[in-house]
Amino acid sequence: MTVDLLMLGVFSFLGGLIDAAVGGGGLILIPALLHALPQHAVATVLGTNKLAVLLGTGSSAMTFLKRIKIQWRLIIPCLLSAFACAYIGAYSVASIPTHIMKYLVFVLLVAMAIYTFMRKELGQVQHEKTLGTFQILQGCFLGGMIGFYDGAFGPGSGSFFIFMFVRLFGFDFLNAAASSKLLNIGTFIAALSFFVPSGHMLWQLGFYIAVCNVMGAIVGTFVALKYGSGLIRKLFLVLLVFLIGRMGMSILTAAA
């Protein structure tokens, strides 16, 4: 085991832990992979990352499904939309300017953080809302947009899904976290269905960091279920501040 492999294992564990509770684990693991694998194409790094996070998110989702009631009438069409758009995003990964994606995501993260901080009651209690055709179409549209982003780039997609469920559909943070896992599974599988046939996969490394990611996801899911929406809201805000700082530094460094 080299130092790089050990560090990748640690980052993958932390990414799985954070991702299980509030999403955004990709911003921990993807930069670590890019640093450790400078000789490989970005698509190969993203493909290897998707394998790890798919298995980690899958283990987290299985635990959530035993404890959380899922609104399948909303989730299934959103999942199908996110799946289709994630495949398109992965197919487009080489042709989308990364810096434009970073600017857009940075602005959205700032807006999400301000809104969540100002609305203290947001996501604390589950508010059942009527799910008519219009609401489901809204979910499909936004799910597709986030799915495209996840296929093309990825970091923070779980957090965007959580915010969508909390803001639009009145979910508490715990139910939103559980539902976001199902959509992320769809986007990860869609992206892999492009990356794997294209040869953008390091299988041995992918399975190694996947094991670490699963262990982190188990811990993160336990914490989320034990302490509920109150803690997840705090972690969500902390993660958004971290994402904003990390992405802001990246933008400033690229502009210098």
Side-chain angles (χ1 to χ4, degrees):
M1 294 287 285
T2 66
V3 174
D4 279 344
L5 277 177
L6 287 171
M7 291 307 298
L8 282 177
V10 171
F11 281 120
S12 186
F13 175 88
L14 293 174
L17 191 155
I18 295 297
D19 216 49
V22 290
L27 206 70
I28 296 174
L29 182 53
I30 290 177
L33 284 168
L34 288 170
H35 175 75
L37 304 170
Q39 71 277 26
H40 290 283
V42 172
T44 302
V45 172
L46 294 178
T48 304
N49 171 71
K50 293 298 183 194
L51 175 63
V53 295
L54 171 63
L55 297 180
T57 301
S59 68
S60 177
M62 289 176 62
T63 305
F64 273 123
L65 286 173
K66 297 174 185 177
R67 301 279 296 275
I68 303 297
K69 183 180 178 181
I70 302 296
Q71 295 197 31
W72 293 107
R73 184 166 178 264
L74 171 66
I75 298 303
I76 290 176
C78 289
L79 174 60
L80 294 174
S81 175
F83 178 93
C85 293
Y87 182 86
I88 296 171
Y91 185 80
S92 308
V93 68
S95 58
I96 299 175
T98 304
H99 67 280
I100 293 178
M101 188 76 74
K102 285 183 178 179
Y103 288 133
L104 176 61
V105 172
F106 181 77
V107 172
L108 291 174
L109 288 171
V110 171
M112 282 169 51
I114 293 172
Y115 187 88
T116 305
F117 181 78
M118 297 297 292
R119 297 287 297 273
K120 304 294 183 184
E121 78 287 356
L122 186 71
Q124 297 290 355
V125 179
Q126 182 91 350
H127 296 287
E128 297 293 339
K129 291 190 176 182
T130 302
L131 290 177
T133 302
F134 177 72
Q135 287 75 25
I136 293 175
L137 288 175
Q138 272 187 310
C140 290
F141 175 75
L142 289 174
M145 295 287 287
I146 299 169
F148 179 87
Y149 164 73
D150 190 45
F153 191 48
S157 63
S159 301
F160 285 125
F161 281 134
I162 289 174
F163 187 79
M164 178 185 80
F165 286 124
V166 171
R167 175 65 183 86
L168 282 186
F169 304 109
F171 287 23
D172 62 31
F173 273 101
L174 183 59
N175 280 269
S179 299
S180 73
K181 299 291 168 287
L182 299 172
L183 268 63
N184 267 141
I185 288 173
T187 60
F188 296 158
I189 291 174
L192 283 170
S193 66
F194 169 75
F195 287 128
V196 172
S198 303
H200 295 298
M201 176 62 65
L202 303 174
W203 288 104
Q204 289 183 323
L205 178 62
F207 281 118
Y208 163 66
I209 58 176
V211 170
C212 300
N213 201 268
V214 168
M215 291 190 292
I218 291 171
V219 176
T221 306
F222 171 79
V223 170
L225 289 170
K226 182 175 177 60
Y227 296 102
S229 293
L231 177 65
I232 295 178
R233 181 183 187 276
K234 294 175 184 176
L235 290 175
F236 182 76
L237 282 168
V238 170
L239 177 69
L240 289 182
V241 172
F242 173 77
L243 289 169
I244 290 165
R246 190 73 178 267
M247 200 161 284
M249 288 296 295
S250 175
I251 291 171
L252 288 174
T253 302

